[in-house]
Amino acid sequence: MLALSLVCGVGLGATGMGWGQVLRLMWAGLSGGSLGAGDVGAYTIVWEIRFPRVVLAAVVGAGLAAVGVAVQALVRNALADPFVLGISSGAAVGANAVILFGALAGLGVWALSFSAFVSALAATLLVYAVARSPLGLSPLRLVLTGTALAYGFQAVTTVMVFGAERGEAARAAMMWLLGSLGGATWPKVPLAATTVLAGWLWLKLRAGALDALSMGDETSAALGVPPHRLRRELFVVTAAVTGTVVAVSGAIGFVGLMVPHLVRMLVGASHTRVLAVAPLTGAVLLVWADILSRVLLAPTELPVGVVTAALGVPAFLLLMRRGGHALTGR
Amino acid sequence: MRLDIEGVSVEVAGTRLVDEVTLGAATGTFVGLVGPNGSGKSTLLRCVYRARRPDAGVVRVESEDVHRMAPRAAARLLAALPQESAADFDFTVTEVVAMGRLPHRERTAAGDRQIVLRSLEQAGVAHLATRGFLSLSGGEKQRVLIARALTQQPRVLVLDEPTNHLDIAHQLDVLRRVRTSGPTVLAALHDLNLAAAHCDRLHVLHGGRVVASGPPAEVLSPALLAEVFGVRAHRVRHPGTGATQFLFDPLTP
């Protein structure tokens, strides 16, 4: 399903091409084979623009979905998503400093990602410092701190956008806030993929502990899973993966919130199963959302967050109405 | 295995909730903890099943300090039924009970399934196996959580108000089942008649201190009940079982 989606993602776009040609060019890129002079233009589109973009979409979707599961267990709140800890709004401050004021120009094409990542990390540390208490990280304090600081960061971002002189830059900043995979290049893929994969593997190993944690702190402790230590670890993993994902794609909403719920409705609450299915679901969803964002109003691109919502909301509501779900209390 | 609580104190925001409590439970016995609301029963039990570290004192299982053991190693010896019964997501009853296998190494899927089935039966909830935990009544949840604790195959079982939410038949049933399930039990109970009928020994907690210890018939004197619980108690003999039971009046009518 994911492989098929990836091929479709490469095949569909503003410039039409035959499927045979697309497959041949993808294979040429993967195997390092040669191609004729007539294919060079198409090859550039397929290999340099679309393919990395689609792969990045899959990586980002998988990462957001996995981290969404982690955050919902971390703050014990079904409405939490990866951005509830203030990470994305923190990243937006850094990203907009680059987009609007040309900060960090010395880093060239990496300035945006780097700045977003660093400010995401700074925001995370700030949230952690404020939310911690002698009794450890309490879920409620985390949510409240994250939400409060997110409003603060958003205010800073808004002031920056209004203060910017160039209207076009403000539009670019807006686009970044809504999330986009338009800046995808091959060099961005390995780092993001490694972080997402490592984060996901860590979560998979802790699946049983996450089950225990969601039964409450006392139960968790009695089952040999110290809740405060697990929460600290979860916080670090969440921050690293979210920070990386946001750095390469901006704040793409909905995936991290809804995919975990969607998957729970399909496979049940056990984290072992949820963590096996959620990243794949997130990847497929985001690849298709990205395809639609490019094709629907071609050559204009829609923000991908708009499409994830347009695809996800009906699917989610349909499933919720059809089957029992913990959120709705049956 | 023996459970020993030695000089345990807990202080929260300057208030001593538990004050140098020392008590023990011999291997295989059912030991009750009684006391009025706020006397420190739950706080003391939380120190035993490691939800909280005591500010002073030690909790030992056989001579080993449970707070110095690796979390999972401690959870293989000690299981608990805490007072909270939260669940953020809708696990099935079987999934909840299977969580009791978490601390164990060298598990097999088949072995786990068998142990889970046995605990479901021991707690009398086998018929609920495929239900969603969140759809259960309070009493059913309580029995499922007892099944989870039994699935840990503990040597010491800590129960905080195990009869909460249970109807009278299930109160008697659960205590009988737990008693015959094997481990040493330390249970906080608020029903003094249940405590008198089921416990080998009782410890009475008042203001965070142990004010009396011993076999129920000796400990629960009308004088002590008046002092600690503020009630007038009449001791009667159960005509069927011969156990000591109490009838209560308020002290000041």
Coordinates of all heavy atoms in Angstrom, one line a residue, chain B residues 134-173:
Chain B
L134 N -13.4 0.0 29.7 CA -14.1 1.2 30.1 C -15.7 1.0 30.1 O -16.4 1.8 30.7 CB -13.8 2.3 29.1 CG -12.4 2.8 29.1 CD1 -12.2 3.9 28.1 CD2 -12.0 3.4 30.5
S135 N -16.1 -0.1 29.5 CA -17.6 -0.4 29.5 C -18.0 -1.1 30.8 O -19.2 -1.4 30.9 CB -18.0 -1.1 28.3 OG -17.5 -2.5 28.4
L136 N -17.1 -1.5 31.7 CA -17.5 -2.2 32.8 C -18.0 -1.4 34.0 O -17.7 -0.2 34.0 CB -16.2 -3.0 33.4 CG -15.5 -4.0 32.4 CD1 -14.4 -4.6 33.2 CD2 -16.5 -5.0 31.9
S137 N -18.7 -2.0 34.9 CA -19.2 -1.3 36.1 C -18.0 -1.2 37.1 O -17.0 -1.9 36.9 CB -20.3 -2.1 36.7 OG -19.8 -3.2 37.4
G138 N -18.2 -0.4 38.1 CA -17.1 -0.2 39.1 C -16.6 -1.5 39.7 O -15.4 -1.8 39.9
G139 N -17.6 -2.3 40.1 CA -17.3 -3.6 40.7 C -16.6 -4.5 39.8 O -15.7 -5.3 40.2
E140 N -17.0 -4.5 38.5 CA -16.4 -5.4 37.6 C -14.9 -5.0 37.3 O -14.0 -5.8 37.3 CB -17.2 -5.4 36.2 CG -18.5 -6.1 36.3 CD -19.4 -5.9 35.1 OE1 -19.3 -4.8 34.5 OE2 -20.2 -6.8 34.8
K141 N -14.7 -3.7 37.2 CA -13.4 -3.1 37.0 C -12.5 -3.6 38.2 O -11.4 -4.0 38.0 CB -13.4 -1.6 37.0 CG -13.7 -1.0 35.6 CD -13.7 0.5 35.7 CE -14.2 1.1 34.4 NZ -14.5 2.5 34.6
Q142 N -13.0 -3.5 39.4 CA -12.2 -3.8 40.6 C -11.7 -5.2 40.5 O -10.6 -5.5 40.8 CB -13.1 -3.6 41.8 CG -12.4 -3.6 43.1 CD -11.6 -2.3 43.4 OE1 -11.3 -1.6 42.5 NE2 -11.2 -2.2 44.6
R143 N -12.6 -6.1 40.1 CA -12.3 -7.6 40.0 C -11.3 -7.8 38.9 O -10.4 -8.7 39.0 CB -13.5 -8.4 39.9 CG -14.2 -8.6 41.2 CD -15.5 -9.4 41.2 NE -16.5 -8.8 40.4 CZ -17.4 -9.4 39.7 NH1 -17.3 -10.7 39.5 NH2 -18.3 -8.8 39.0
V144 N -11.4 -7.1 37.8 CA -10.5 -7.2 36.7 C -9.1 -6.8 37.1 O -8.1 -7.4 36.8 CB -10.9 -6.4 35.4 CG1 -9.8 -6.3 34.4 CG2 -12.2 -7.0 34.8
L145 N -9.0 -5.7 37.9 CA -7.7 -5.2 38.4 C -7.1 -6.2 39.4 O -5.9 -6.3 39.4 CB -7.9 -3.8 39.0 CG -8.3 -2.7 38.0 CD1 -8.5 -1.4 38.7 CD2 -7.3 -2.6 36.9
I146 N -8.0 -6.9 40.1 CA -7.4 -7.9 41.0 C -6.8 -9.1 40.2 O -5.8 -9.6 40.5 CB -8.5 -8.4 42.0 CG1 -8.8 -7.3 43.0 CG2 -8.1 -9.7 42.7 CD1 -10.0 -7.6 43.9
A147 N -7.5 -9.4 39.1 CA -7.0 -10.4 38.2 C -5.7 -10.0 37.6 O -4.7 -10.8 37.5 CB -8.0 -10.7 37.0
R148 N -5.5 -8.7 37.3 CA -4.2 -8.2 36.7 C -3.1 -8.4 37.8 O -2.0 -8.8 37.5 CB -4.3 -6.8 36.3 CG -3.1 -6.4 35.5 CD -2.8 -4.9 35.6 NE -2.8 -4.4 36.9 CZ -3.4 -3.2 37.3 NH1 -3.9 -2.5 36.4 NH2 -3.3 -2.9 38.5
A149 N -3.4 -8.0 39.0 CA -2.4 -8.2 40.1 C -2.0 -9.7 40.3 O -0.9 -10.0 40.4 CB -3.0 -7.6 41.4
L150 N -3.0 -10.6 40.2 CA -2.7 -12.0 40.3 C -1.8 -12.5 39.2 O -1.0 -13.4 39.3 CB -4.0 -12.8 40.4 CG -4.8 -12.6 41.7 CD1 -6.1 -13.4 41.6 CD2 -4.1 -13.0 42.9
T151 N -2.1 -11.9 38.0 CA -1.3 -12.3 36.8 C 0.2 -12.0 37.0 O 1.0 -12.6 36.3 CB -1.8 -11.5 35.6 OG1 -3.2 -11.8 35.5 CG2 -1.2 -12.0 34.3
Q152 N 0.5 -11.0 37.8 CA 1.9 -10.7 38.1 C 2.6 -11.9 38.9 O 3.8 -11.9 39.0 CB 2.0 -9.4 38.9 CG 2.5 -8.2 38.2 CD 2.3 -6.9 38.9 OE1 1.2 -6.4 39.0 NE2 3.3 -6.4 39.5
Q153 N 1.8 -12.8 39.3 CA 2.3 -13.9 40.2 C 3.2 -13.5 41.3 O 4.3 -13.9 41.4 CB 3.0 -15.0 39.3 CG 2.0 -15.5 38.2 CD 2.7 -16.7 37.5 OE1 3.8 -16.6 37.0 NE2 1.9 -17.8 37.4
P154 N 2.6 -12.5 42.1 CA 3.5 -11.9 43.1 C 3.6 -12.8 44.3 O 2.8 -13.8 44.5 CB 2.6 -10.7 43.5 CG 1.2 -11.1 43.3 CD 1.2 -12.1 42.2
R155 N 4.7 -12.6 45.1 CA 4.8 -13.3 46.4 C 4.1 -12.4 47.5 O 3.8 -13.0 48.5 CB 6.3 -13.4 46.7 CG 7.1 -13.9 45.5 CD 6.6 -15.2 45.0 NE 6.8 -16.3 45.9 CZ 7.9 -17.1 45.9 NH1 8.8 -16.9 44.9 NH2 8.1 -18.0 46.8
V156 N 4.0 -11.1 47.2 CA 3.3 -10.2 48.2 C 2.3 -9.4 47.4 O 2.6 -8.9 46.3 CB 4.3 -9.3 48.9 CG1 3.5 -8.3 49.8 CG2 5.3 -10.1 49.7
L157 N 1.1 -9.4 47.9 CA 0.0 -8.6 47.2 C -0.5 -7.5 48.1 O -0.8 -7.7 49.3 CB -1.1 -9.6 46.9 CG -2.3 -9.2 46.1 CD1 -1.9 -8.5 44.8 CD2 -3.3 -10.3 45.9
V158 N -0.5 -6.3 47.6 CA -0.9 -5.1 48.3 C -2.3 -4.7 47.8 O -2.4 -4.4 46.6 CB 0.1 -4.0 48.2 CG1 -0.4 -2.8 48.9 CG2 1.5 -4.4 48.7
L159 N -3.3 -4.6 48.6 CA -4.6 -4.2 48.2 C -5.1 -3.0 48.9 O -5.1 -2.9 50.1 CB -5.6 -5.4 48.4 CG -5.2 -6.8 47.9 CD1 -6.2 -7.8 48.5 CD2 -5.3 -6.8 46.4
D160 N -5.5 -2.0 48.1 CA -6.0 -0.7 48.7 C -7.5 -0.7 48.5 O -8.0 -0.5 47.4 CB -5.3 0.5 48.1 CG -5.5 1.7 48.9 OD1 -6.3 1.7 49.9 OD2 -4.8 2.7 48.6
E161 N -8.2 -1.0 49.6 CA -9.7 -1.1 49.6 C -10.2 -2.0 48.5 O -10.9 -1.6 47.6 CB -10.3 0.3 49.3 CG -9.8 1.4 50.3 CD -10.4 1.4 51.6 OE1 -11.1 0.4 52.0 OE2 -10.3 2.4 52.4
P162 N -9.8 -3.3 48.6 CA -10.2 -4.2 47.5 C -11.7 -4.4 47.3 O -12.2 -4.8 46.3 CB -9.5 -5.5 47.9 CG -9.3 -5.4 49.4 CD -9.1 -3.9 49.6
T163 N -12.4 -4.1 48.4 CA -13.9 -4.4 48.3 C -14.7 -3.1 47.9 O -15.9 -3.2 47.8 CB -14.4 -4.8 49.7 OG1 -14.1 -3.9 50.7 CG2 -13.9 -6.2 50.0
N164 N -14.0 -2.0 47.5 CA -14.6 -0.8 47.0 C -15.5 -1.2 45.8 O -15.1 -2.0 44.9 CB -13.6 0.2 46.5 CG -13.4 1.3 47.5 OD1 -14.1 1.3 48.5 ND2 -12.6 2.2 47.1
H165 N -16.7 -0.6 45.7 CA -17.6 -0.8 44.6 C -18.2 -2.2 44.5 O -19.0 -2.5 43.6 CB -16.9 -0.5 43.2 CG -16.2 0.8 43.1 ND1 -16.9 1.9 43.2 CD2 -14.9 1.1 43.0 CE1 -16.0 2.9 43.1 NE2 -14.8 2.4 43.0
L166 N -17.8 -3.1 45.4 CA -18.3 -4.5 45.2 C -19.6 -4.7 46.0 O -19.7 -4.2 47.2 CB -17.2 -5.5 45.7 CG -15.9 -5.6 45.0 CD1 -15.0 -6.7 45.5 CD2 -16.2 -5.8 43.5
D167 N -20.5 -5.5 45.5 CA -21.7 -5.8 46.3 C -21.3 -6.8 47.3 O -20.2 -7.4 47.3 CB -22.8 -6.3 45.4 CG -22.4 -7.5 44.6 OD1 -21.8 -8.4 45.1 OD2 -22.7 -7.6 43.3
I168 N -22.2 -7.1 48.2 CA -21.8 -7.9 49.4 C -21.3 -9.3 49.0 O -20.4 -9.8 49.6 CB -23.0 -7.9 50.4 CG1 -22.6 -8.7 51.7 CG2 -24.3 -8.5 49.9 CD1 -21.5 -8.0 52.5
A169 N -22.0 -9.9 48.0 CA -21.6 -11.2 47.6 C -20.2 -11.2 47.1 O -19.4 -12.1 47.4 CB -22.6 -11.8 46.6
H170 N -19.9 -10.2 46.3 CA -18.5 -10.1 45.7 C -17.5 -9.7 46.7 O -16.3 -10.1 46.6 CB -18.5 -9.2 44.5 CG -19.1 -9.8 43.3 ND1 -20.3 -9.3 42.7 CD2 -18.8 -10.9 42.6 CE1 -20.6 -10.1 41.6 NE2 -19.7 -11.1 41.5
Q171 N -17.9 -8.9 47.7 CA -16.9 -8.6 48.8 C -16.4 -9.9 49.4 O -15.2 -10.1 49.6 CB -17.6 -7.7 49.8 CG -17.9 -6.3 49.4 CD -18.5 -5.5 50.5 OE1 -18.6 -5.9 51.6 NE2 -18.9 -4.3 50.1
L172 N -17.3 -10.7 49.8 CA -17.0 -12.0 50.5 C -16.2 -12.9 49.5 O -15.2 -13.5 49.9 CB -18.2 -12.7 51.0 CG -19.0 -11.9 52.0 CD1 -20.3 -12.7 52.4 CD2 -18.2 -11.6 53.3
D173 N -16.7 -12.9 48.3 CA -16.1 -13.8 47.3 C -14.6 -13.4 47.0 O -13.7 -14.2 47.0 CB -16.9 -13.7 46.0 CG -16.5 -14.7 45.0 OD1 -16.4 -15.9 45.3 OD2 -16.2 -14.3 43.8

